[in-house]
Amino acid sequence: MQLRQSIEFRGKEMIKLRNLSKFYYSKGIIASGLSRINLDLEMGEFVVITGESGSGKSTLINVISGLDTYEEGEMYIEGQETSHYSVGDFEEYRKKYIANIFQNFNLVSSYTVYQNIELILLIEGRSSADVKDKVNDIIDKVGLTEYRNTKVSKLSGGQKQRVAIARALAKETPIIVADEPTGNLDSESAEIVVRLLSELSKDRLVIVVTHNYDQFEKYATRRIKLNDGKLNEDDKIKAVENSEDMKPTEFDKIKAASKLKLGFRNTFNLIPKFLLTLFVFLFLVFAVASQYTSYKAQNDTLNNLGFNSFFMNGTDDRIVFKKQDNTPLTDADYEQVKKLKNVARIEKNDLILDTNVYIEGESTNLDGYPASRENMPKKLVAGRLPEADDEIVVSYYSFNKPQGEPKAIFDDNLKINLDGGGTIKCKIVGLAVKDSNTISLSGASTLHMSEALLQSIKNSALRRVTNVELTINGKKAPSSEGSMQLVANEKVPAGNAFVTEEVDAFYDNGVSKGKKIDIQAKNIYYTDTITVTSQNTYNKSNYKRLLGTEDEYDMVSGKIYISPQDYNYIFEKPDYQSSVFIKDTDDDKLAAVEKELDKLGYKTISLKKAKTSMDELSIINLIRVPMFVIMTVAIFFICYFVIKLILKSRGVYFSILRMLGLDMKSIKQVLDIEMLTIIHIAYGLFMGFAYLVKIKVVDVTTIQNMVKFFALSDYIILYIIVIAMSLIISRKFAKALFKSSAMNSYREGAQ
Ligand code: ADP
Ligand code: MG
């Protein structure tokens, strides 16, 4: 090794390397990057490093820049040892001393020229208003005035190199390190760049790597040649001018306003990335929301199911009431109950509320709950409004549409099968679709019918809850569906009965004709007894004539037929029991209504209180809660990995921030701002969408349902979930970025 000290030392010593070695460990093989380098570099020098490819030039300047570590020897910075330096110490050193100009520029290509130069000053803790003039001056100085607001991605190689130099200039550090700064440039651009660097070297130490020394010959003050990681030549060519040296850069923490500015800038400067991230967060919000609402919808269904089987229509706002003395309810009763506070409406004779009516025809069958024509929808989707007593309008939920064409339904011969036997002929003349806002989870249709039809249904409902017992020849015989069922028939005169052959068997001579039968009807409201005379025993050969029916014998056999007058005497009663529906189902408010009713002399059953949670429900709940959690976590991870992929593609950007000296916490915060901005946009879109659903601009039943189950507190919970998720993602990302040295994370990012 030759070391010629032909020119006298003038500048201030800056970097001193003593026996410095660097090794690379790669796939189990140790390669030497630098070996036993001794070098003193001073302020004011324009050092040009040359050497074959692979001779260690990049390694040397990366070590000097604090971008890479060394294994042996010592590096002194202004006389200070660095072998004990931590990663943080090197970061600080880089901030104070080093401005890098990279061969591949390391510019943020989605930023404009101005923004790239401004970036380094913001990182140094200066405010964007302060640096405006300085940035513009520097842009003028490198001759890019007309490209000030052009995105770097649109510039030529020579222009990019000048932006990289401008950025180094803005940093005002004592040392500028440039790896192949003219590598990609035509000779004209190269000349400009070299002259610029030479000018900069007046009050700094400029170190340049090149394989084209000729371009630098005019300006270099010193030439260093590397060979195989060793110092081969070290020529001091020119004297160093003595001038005021650049001091290590003073820097502050990056300002909060600057982080905000960068965060917003990053949110929108890459539109595809923005849209993709927005899409992922939209998916997150909607997926979590739909999980959550389906969980709540299930809750609601289960609450309605968790209820004794007597009342099928068990909404929380329903209170069943009847007189404490079991006498029928009168108009005066309804008047005073209606006046109570918190009462919304009364449903007289509430048995029909719990009566599901089944309508059957040749091609049609459907079911629903009976209702009067009072609240019938005016707008039909098919058919017409009803006129005759046997005409019905069916209003259904769009998801529970009756099967078959409307015309086929209208033309069909239909009948209602009544509880406790008997059928009523009817016709469906109109179809309506229910307002999905008033959805009941059972999805049951409503059958709007005449008062006459309703009365029959009410009677049959009462029949259902009534125990009928016959006394024949002094013996008691239950009347049930299978045998001796009581049925009304027009052909039977009042006070008489047409009986099945079974009745004859009660008499020794096998003849019941002319004998008395006591019929006792007993239910929770009343007990009634009538006595009829058996007038005829019907059998297979005479039943059609006697009963006036064309039905198969199987259908009529085993029954006791009495006159409609007698039947109605037993079952057509005034209202013994009705329901009151309240506005506010809050426990206290509900109890208050019950108390008032009690004072007025009524017995009550609150369906909210009467709910008994079945054992199965608690088991279902045991599964449901973890299922909800698992699904939510799964959605979280799907989004997490997609966001991670998106962020990975931006690893270069964040490595640049890091190489420019931004600390981990600030990088995380800049990322946070970006994520939070997108999340808020996604959440805003979600809320806007929910609003459109609410005001019914968007009219899809399932989504309506979803939104219906969303309370204010749920919006807040969901908000917290997505915010927490975005914070976790940016934190993990920032940590991963800082796990390895700046050079490694840059290498990884660049891959
Ligand atoms: P130059 O810049 O002069 O072309 P480098 O400094 O890039 O040379 O490389 C010096 C030596 O170190 C070469 O032999 C090269 O193969 C090796 N080297 C450089 N970087 C790595 C690395 N990341 N891992 C392993 N070996 C490396
Ligand atoms: Mg190299």
Side-chain angles (χ1 to χ4, degrees):
M1 185 185 77
Q2 292 173 298
L3 208 113
R4 279 179 271 164
Q5 288 288 98
S6 53
I7 289 158
E8 218 174 293
F9 168 75
R10 287 258 191 80
K12 190 177 137 227
E13 181 195 272
M14 179 50 73
I15 302 284
K16 191 163 83 179
L17 305 182
R18 285 294 170 269
N19 288 324
L20 184 135
S21 295
K22 155 102 197 150
F23 306 105
Y24 284 111
Y25 304 92
S26 170
K27 292 173 185 138
I29 300 164
I30 301 175
S32 168
L34 294 172
S35 116
R36 304 181 70 77
I37 302 279
N38 287 292
L39 198 59
D40 295 296
L41 301 172
E42 284 119 34
M43 291 297 286
E45 286 190 298
F46 187 4
V47 183
V48 178
I49 303 172
T50 59
E52 308 262 290
S53 174
S55 58
K57 306 182 296 291
S58 298
T59 309
L60 177 62
I61 59 167
N62 286 343
V63 168
I64 290 174
S65 313
L67 276 172
D68 225 339
T69 52
Y70 59 91
E71 276 74 41
E72 276 174 15
E74 186 61 84
M75 171 163 82
Y76 300 88
I77 299 157
E78 288 192 299
Q80 276 209 330
E81 288 182 11
T82 61
S83 52
H84 63 275
Y85 266 27
S86 65
V87 173
D89 293 334
F90 273 116
E91 296 273 339
E92 194 171 321
Y93 158 67
R94 287 180 43 67
K95 270 184 159 179
K96 278 180 153 168
Y97 288 86
I98 304 289
N100 278 103
I101 299 168
F102 296 93
Q103 189 172 0
N104 56 356
F105 317 125
N106 271 357
L107 299 168
V108 182
S109 49
S110 59
Y111 281 15
T112 63
V113 170
Y114 182 93
Q115 288 170 339
N116 265 281
I117 299 163
E118 180 195 37
L119 177 64
I120 182 69
L121 295 170
L122 296 183
I123 289 174
E124 277 178 7
R126 310 190 42 188
S127 78
S128 58
D130 279 357
V131 304
K132 212 169 161 191
D133 290 341
K134 181 173 175 182
V135 175
N136 285 327
D137 280 353
I138 293 171
I139 291 175
D140 294 344
K141 200 166 180 180
V142 298
L144 288 173
T145 315
E146 57 186 307
Y147 297 100
R148 209 170 73 104
N149 293 320
T150 308
K151 280 200 176 186
V152 162
S153 55
K154 299 220 168 72
L155 298 181
S156 73
Q159 289 163 338
K160 283 181 186 167
Q161 191 62 280
R162 277 189 271 163
V163 179
I165 292 170
R167 189 176 63 188
L169 258 170
K171 211 181 163 193
E172 291 185 353
T173 52
I175 305 173
I176 291 182
V177 180
D179 196 350
E180 301 274 9
T182 57
N184 303 318
L185 307 185
D186 57 84
S187 57
E188 203 177 311
S189 310
E191 172 69 17
I192 298 171
V193 165
V194 174
R195 221 175 25 229
L196 257 170
L197 287 170
S198 157
E199 241 162 73
L200 293 178
S201 73
K202 297 278 175 330
D203 53 357
R204 302 173 217 228
L205 165 59
V206 174
I207 309 167
V208 170
V209 164
T210 187
H211 59 259
N212 191 350
Y213 180 71
D214 297 346
Q215 287 177 331
F216 291 85
E217 194 160 20
K218 265 205 286 187
Y219 301 97
T221 65
R222 184 170 178 182
R223 180 182 186 175
I224 289 171
K225 225 176 183 174
L226 286 180
N227 188 13
D228 203 10
K230 292 188 195 75
L231 207 61
N232 198 25
E233 253 176 61
D234 185 358
D235 286 340
K236 293 199 173 175
I237 302 157
K238 270 190 212 145
V240 170
E241 284 172 38
N242 212 353
S243 69
E244 184 89 4
D245 287 338
M246 186 76 71
K247 294 276 168 301
T249 318
E250 295 287 328
F251 63 91
D252 248 337
K253 276 217 160 300
I254 181 168
K255 289 200 159 50
S258 303
K259 290 184 216 169
L260 266 176
K261 190 172 181 141
L262 291 178
F264 287 138
R265 185 176 288 168
N266 297 345
T267 307
F268 302 109
N269 69 353
L270 287 168
I271 295 298
K273 179 230 53 173
F274 166 69
L275 291 178
L276 191 58
T277 317
L278 180 65
F279 178 80
V280 174
F281 279 125
L282 273 176
F283 168 78
L284 173 77
V285 173
F286 276 91
V288 172
S290 82
Q291 270 302 308
Y292 189 70
T293 46
S294 81
Y295 170 81
K296 287 195 77 169
Q298 271 182 16
N299 260 357
D300 210 73
T301 316
L302 290 174
N303 278 342
N304 279 342
L305 285 176
F307 178 73
N308 69 60
S309 56
F310 191 83
F311 299 99
M312 320 254 282
N313 225 334
T315 50
D316 278 356
D317 57 349
R318 179 175 169 195
I319 300 171
V320 179
F321 72 103
K322 60 183 181 180
K323 293 281 253 297
Q324 277 161 9
D325 58 9
N326 279 341
T327 56
L329 294 161
T330 62
D331 286 346
D333 287 311
Y334 291 133
E335 279 309 309
Q336 62 176 357
V337 171
K338 212 178 261 172
K339 278 189 201 132
L340 292 179
K341 244 174 94 181
N342 196 18
V343 165
R345 67 189 167 94
I346 290 172
E347 191 76 47
K348 294 179 188 175
N349 196 338
D350 64 357
L351 286 175
I352 56 161
L353 285 179
D354 303 303
T355 303
N356 191 277
V357 169
Y358 186 68
I359 300 180
E360 198 181 10
E362 273 139 36
S363 62
T364 310
N365 53 65
L366 55 90
D367 67 329
Y369 287 95
S372 74
R373 288 174 179 171
E374 236 166 75
N375 298 319
M376 185 167 55
K378 299 284 170 296
K379 232 181 89 197
L380 302 181
V381 290
R384 58 169 173 82
L385 292 171
E387 285 153 17
D389 272 354
D390 64 345
E391 293 181 342
I392 294 175
V393 164
V394 177
S395 97
Y396 60 87
Y397 288 112
S398 47
F399 57 83
N400 199 10
K401 193 174 186 291
Q403 284 181 345
E405 288 300 309
K407 190 177 172 347
I409 296 172
F410 299 154
D411 289 346
D412 211 347
N413 289 315
L414 302 175
K415 59 181 193 219
I416 294 172
N417 293 315
L418 292 175
D419 277 308
T423 58
I424 309 173
K425 286 204 165 73
C426 66
K427 271 179 124 63
I428 293 176
V429 296
L431 296 173
V433 177
K434 279 205 212 193
D435 176 6
S436 50
N437 221 24
T438 60
I439 195 154
S440 105
L441 283 152
S442 68
S445 306
T446 304
L447 312 173
H448 295 280
M449 42 181 77
S450 64
E451 289 307 313
L453 254 183
L454 266 186
Q455 189 58 56
S456 305
I457 307 253
K458 281 178 184 175
N459 293 351
S460 103
L462 188 56
R463 169 74 184 83
R464 191 182 69 219
V465 297
T466 303
N467 186 30
V468 177
E469 201 173 64
L470 309 174
T471 308
I472 306 165
N473 198 17
K475 293 190 203 90
K476 287 191 191 312
S479 162
S480 62
E481 203 162 327
S483 78
M484 303 218 231
Q485 189 182 351
L486 216 53
V487 182
N489 188 294
E490 304 271 357
K491 292 266 184 181
V492 185
N496 289 313
F498 292 175
V499 303
T500 173
E501 290 158 310
E502 284 171 63
V503 176
D504 286 350
F506 279 79
Y507 296 92
D508 293 338
N509 61 356
V511 180
S512 67
K513 192 171 170 158
K515 296 287 192 308
K516 302 263 184 242
I517 300 174
D518 293 331
I519 302 172
Q520 189 196 56
K522 201 174 171 184
N523 57 36
I524 53 170
Y525 314 115
Y526 62 88
T527 304
D528 250 343
T529 308
I530 57 166
T531 304
V532 292
T533 307
S534 168
Q535 198 188 47
N536 269 308
T537 302
Y538 65 85
N539 54 40
K540 202 167 180 170
S541 57
N542 67 4
Y543 82 94
K544 284 189 183 170
R545 181 179 51 82
L546 278 177
L547 300 171
T549 178
E550 288 301 318
D551 286 348
E552 295 291 314
Y553 186 59
D554 282 354
M555 299 288 292
V556 286
S557 70
K559 295 182 173 130
I560 310 259
Y561 291 88
I562 60 173
S563 70
Q565 296 95 303
D566 292 337
Y567 190 90
N568 288 344
Y569 173 76
I570 303 173
F571 297 117
E572 191 169 308
K573 300 289 180 186
D575 311 334
Y576 281 94
Q577 176 189 301
S578 293
S579 280
V580 51
F581 288 82
I582 57 172
K583 293 173 199 152
D584 191 339
T585 59
D586 181 80
D587 283 342
D588 293 340
K589 302 262 171 60
L590 193 154
V593 176
E594 280 197 291
K595 206 171 153 196
E596 286 298 314
L597 287 169
D598 182 70
K599 259 200 265 173
L600 294 172
Y602 305 104
K603 286 190 239 180
T604 61
I605 305 172
S606 144
L607 293 213
K608 187 180 180 191
K609 283 204 220 153
K611 269 181 206 170
T612 55
S613 79
M614 295 180 282
D615 284 349
E616 296 98 292
L617 283 190
S618 47
I619 293 168
I620 294 171
N621 265 320
L622 274 182
I623 307 166
R624 258 158 26 82
V625 175
M627 272 304 284
F628 170 67
V629 173
I630 289 169
M631 288 306 292
T632 308
V633 170
I635 293 166
F636 180 95
F637 274 104
I638 292 169
C639 295
Y640 173 71
F641 285 115
V642 177
I643 296 279
K644 233 178 108 167
L645 276 180
I646 297 172
L647 285 181
K648 205 160 180 185
S649 74
R650 305 211 308 134
V652 175
Y653 168 73
F654 289 104
S655 311
I656 291 173
L657 286 191
R658 190 187 165 185
M659 274 196 276
L660 295 180
L662 197 58
D663 62 298
M664 173 165 118
K665 205 171 140 203
S666 302
I667 287 184
K668 179 189 153 356
Q669 284 165 343
V670 169
L671 187 55
D672 277 347
I673 290 159
E674 180 179 344
M675 290 284 156
L676 290 177
T677 307
I678 301 176
I679 281 247
H680 279 93
I681 293 170
Y683 203 75
L685 288 174
F686 169 72
M687 301 247 285
F689 185 73
Y691 179 73
L692 289 184
V693 171
K694 214 158 212 157
I695 62 169
K696 299 217 185 115
V697 173
V698 176
D699 199 1
V700 181
T701 316
T702 42
I703 300 173
Q704 294 254 357
N705 259 340
M706 204 173 116
V707 171
K708 187 181 86 146
F709 284 106
F710 242 68
L712 179 66
S713 58
D714 302 323
Y715 282 103
I716 295 169
I717 291 170
L718 182 65
Y719 181 75
I720 292 169
I721 289 178
V722 289
I723 295 287
M725 183 171 153
S726 91
L727 293 180
I728 291 172
I729 289 175
S730 57
R731 202 191 132 127
K732 286 206 151 196
F733 182 78
K735 266 198 165 162
L737 194 68
F738 274 79
K739 219 162 52 194
S740 49
S741 74
M743 198 59 211
N744 283 338
S745 74
Y746 172 68
R747 279 194 201 107
E748 278 161 19
Q751 268 166 16

